[in-house]
Amino acid sequence: MPVPLAPYPSPPTPFTPPANAGTQSQLVCSGCRNLLLYPVGATSVCCAVCNAVTAVPPPGTEMAQLVSGGCHTLLMYIRGATSVLVATQSI
């Protein structure tokens, strides 16, 4: 008995970014130090990994980032800061 053939699947729809895709920014989670993306205009961001709520700097604040030479943690800070402290957290 012949077995019916399944039709070819339709090709995937190409991804179309939302109209405001260029209006996102990023910051480091205050809890787990993961990099978070958030829409511009948000005042705080809740991390999907650790549920920590991180405040977003006011609009127009220039941020910079670096990786700690000691613990290799990504740090974000206000541009022009004279020092940056790695805050450790006990779990």
Side-chain angles (χ1 to χ4, degrees), residues 5-11:
L5 298 175
Y8 285 109
S10 58

Side-chain angles (χ1 to χ4, degrees), residues 24-52:
Q24 287 194 336
S25 195
Q26 59 188 15
L27 56 74
V28 174
C29 173
S30 61
C32 64
R33 312 305 292 172
N34 277 311
L35 192 61
L36 305 175
L37 293 176
Y38 66 92
V40 170
T43 56
S44 61
V45 184
C46 182
C47 178
V49 176
C50 72
N51 291 320

